[in-house]
Amino acid sequence: MIAPTHIVFSVLLGTTLGAPTWWLKWLAIGSLLPDLDQPQSIVGKMVYPISSRINKLFGHRGLMHSMLVWIPLTIIGLNYFKPLGILSIGAMTHSIIDCMTITGVQLCTPFSEKIFVLANKRYRFRSSSRQEMMFLGVLCLLLWGAALLHARGGIRKLLVDVSGSYDLVREAYERRGMEECHFIGKVRLLDGMIIEHEWLIVGTEEPNGLALFDKKEKKILHIPHDGKPLRAKLIGTGKHWQSVKLATPGEIESGDVFFKIKGRWARATDGSTVLGHVLYQTGESVAIKPTT
């Protein structure tokens, strides 16, 4: 298949699944890598001496298209060097979509020469054919729809909203980094009372916990220490926490901040002493002076 088809397909999958935007660039680049075994491809022309050598050794759609090459690289990359893992995922999308061509792909070479295809021969097509152009057009339309879905967090975000799963909400919150987020849901407190509310998420706690701040009551609810979540939904604000790290104790002169002590998040206000990683909301006026 031609390079645009591979790029659009890889980006489509990443977008649909709600992958971070920076992933999409690496997926697109990775989707071209298997064609290093084809000197006439876009990537092959860029490194022609290497590409021609690979082609002579393994042929086109041989070892460079094998899942037995890219799966181990994906595992290694995601654990030790994430860009490598994402590139390898992009390469796997290349091999998978090539199974829609007439000739198919040897996905398990060098241990097996079996040809893998994704459809009956009548539904497969030749590279650069009219049928591929039509297929590319369909992928572009799907990508447009996926982009709208991606703006709302992708399928993963939909699953979080529909399922109401606390574990999925916590996982989604961790992926958002320093973004200010709200937790909307129901919690059964230790005394059996069930409350339904919207909290500001201050941060994570171990094991598998969240610190939720009630702005009205000015209290932090520690989940699951103070109660069991029954239903959960995550709402991002688009804003990001302001933070400062204090190597020595400091005193809050003005403003509200949050800091972590003994693994638990706590709130501090005027006159309180804080230390370590201190957070405060965007637009909040905070003054901290060193303690003597």
Side-chain angles (χ1 to χ4, degrees):
M1 289 191 181
I2 59 176
T5 303
H6 288 298
I7 292 173
V8 172
F9 181 67
S10 65
V11 174
L12 170 61
L13 288 182
T15 302
T16 302
L17 295 174
T21 303
W22 68 272
W23 273 52
L24 303 182
K25 174 183 69 176
W26 293 104
L27 286 173
I29 295 172
S31 71
L32 302 178
L33 292 182
D35 273 348
L36 281 171
D37 62 11
Q38 172 53 275
Q40 300 307 313
S41 67
I42 288 179
V43 67
K45 290 178 181 179
M46 295 173 64
V47 288
Y48 184 83
I50 297 175
S51 179
S52 59
R53 181 62 176 169
I54 294 175
N55 182 266
K56 288 179 181 179
L57 289 174
F58 307 112
H60 183 44
R61 293 191 182 172
L63 189 64
M64 289 298 295
H65 283 65
S66 175
M67 290 295 184
L68 300 184
V69 170
W70 299 112
I71 289 177
L73 288 177
T74 297
I75 296 172
I76 293 171
L78 293 179
N79 282 281
Y80 299 104
F81 185 60
K82 191 157 289 186
L84 172 61
I86 303 169
L87 285 171
S88 300
I89 293 173
M92 287 194 289
T93 69
H94 179 117
S95 297
I96 290 171
I97 201 64
D98 266 353
C99 291
M100 281 295 296
T101 59
I102 293 292
T103 54
V105 181
Q106 297 178 20
L107 294 180
C108 295
T109 188
F111 298 108
S112 172
E113 295 183 355
K114 181 179 178 180
I115 300 295
F116 289 82
V117 296
L118 285 178
N120 186 281
K121 189 173 183 179
R122 62 183 294 188
Y123 298 111
R124 304 198 307 274
F125 43 79
R126 298 185 185 281
S127 180
S128 302
S129 65
R130 178 186 175 188
Q131 289 84 352
E132 182 177 354
M133 297 302 104
M134 295 173 63
F135 181 65
L136 176 58
V138 172
L139 290 180
C140 289
L141 288 175
L142 292 174
L143 179 58
W144 175 77
L148 298 178
L149 181 62
H150 187 268
R152 293 164 175 77
I155 289 179
R156 188 188 294 269
K157 176 63 165 52
L158 291 180
L159 289 175
V160 170
D161 292 343
V162 172
S163 68
S165 166
Y166 168 76
D167 291 331
L168 289 178
V169 162
R170 187 179 190 275
E171 179 185 328
Y173 171 72
E174 289 180 324
R175 289 198 305 273
R176 288 175 178 257
M178 292 291 288
E179 182 180 358
E180 293 180 19
C181 296
H182 289 180
F183 177 104
I184 301 176
K186 284 186 178 181
V187 175
R188 178 185 286 115
L189 302 180
L190 297 181
D191 61 7
M193 179 182 293
I194 296 177
I195 57 175
E196 186 170 1
H197 194 58
E198 179 175 342
W199 293 268
L200 171 68
I201 303 178
V202 176
T204 59
E205 298 177 342
E206 296 300 334
N208 197 35
L210 286 176
L212 310 177
F213 180 62
D214 186 328
K215 292 186 176 181
K216 184 177 180 179
E217 298 293 333
K218 303 295 183 182
K219 293 181 179 179
I220 294 180
L221 182 68
H222 302 275
I223 301 295
H225 180 77
D226 296 332
K228 178 181 179 181
L230 302 178
R231 189 175 71 239
K233 183 178 180 180
L234 183 72
I235 301 294
T237 66
K239 301 178 181 179
H240 289 77
W241 287 99
Q242 303 299 303
S243 66
V244 62
K245 289 187 178 181
L246 301 178
T248 58
E251 181 181 327
I252 306 298
E253 288 189 304
S254 63
D256 285 357
V257 305
F258 301 95
F259 70 107
K260 212 168 189 178
I261 180 170
K262 296 182 179 179
R264 300 277 295 276
W265 284 98
R267 172 175 174 260
T269 186
D270 301 4
S272 300
T273 300
V274 295
L275 178 66
H277 192 194
V278 178
L279 299 179
Y280 57 96
Q281 289 185 271
T282 300
E284 183 79 13
S285 179
V286 173
I288 304 174
K289 69 176 183 179
T291 57
T292 56

